[in-house]
Amino acid sequence: LTRRVEFSDTDMAGIVHYSNFFRYLESAEHAFFRAIGFSIFPRPGDPPVGWPRVHAECDFHQPLRFEDEVEIHLVVSARKARSISYLFRFRKLGAPQSQDIARGSITVVCVSHHRGKMKAVRIPKPIADQIQVAPRKLLDSFKPRRR
């Protein structure tokens, strides 16, 4: 997913506020679901499930500023019966070299809603069949860098 940093994404220092990286992660996840023919919000005919987050983290390496363009790359790092884990890599475009800006991860759980309560359920087969874990070599390139 490619995004341009909006002025409203920035803080008083003129850089993207850290909380907005999580919005970017979520946008990439939504694009991923659309790419496999589904939505994170059930449409008529889709399995009636939701995807709350149970884990989210992001490591920041370089700032993003207003009007910077950033690519958000997503890979599936794990798919279990009831959960999906993603790794993300942010790269700033237009720099002399593609710059790693941040890396993050999210784990979501598949839930059904009944009378205002959520219950973890198996990922419906039509969705699970479309989701594949990335190869180890690719996963290793997405792991957060430790300082």
Side-chain angles (χ1 to χ4, degrees), residues 12-31:
M12 293 292 289
I15 61 174
V16 172
H17 190 267
Y18 77 92
S19 63
N20 288 313
F21 280 84
F22 293 99
R23 289 181 38 232
Y24 297 168
L25 295 175
E26 193 167 68
S27 292
E29 178 196 20
H30 296 182

Side-chain angles (χ1 to χ4, degrees), residues 48-100:
V49 294
W51 302 94
R53 282 86 184 93
V54 295
H55 175 81
E57 70 178 330
C58 194
D59 293 320
F60 309 99
H61 307 293
Q62 298 286 326
L64 282 174
R65 301 180 192 290
F66 174 56
E67 293 194 347
D68 282 346
E69 271 193 300
V70 61
E71 283 183 337
I72 303 113
H73 297 256
L74 172 154
V75 294
V76 175
S77 59
R79 188 195 83 204
K80 298 180 181 174
R82 293 177 166 83
S83 67
I84 306 167
S85 295
Y86 307 106
L87 294 176
F88 299 87
R89 183 173 53 213
F90 294 82
R91 290 202 166 147
K92 181 178 173 182
L93 300 177
Q97 296 177 338
S98 181
Q99 292 180 335
D100 252 2

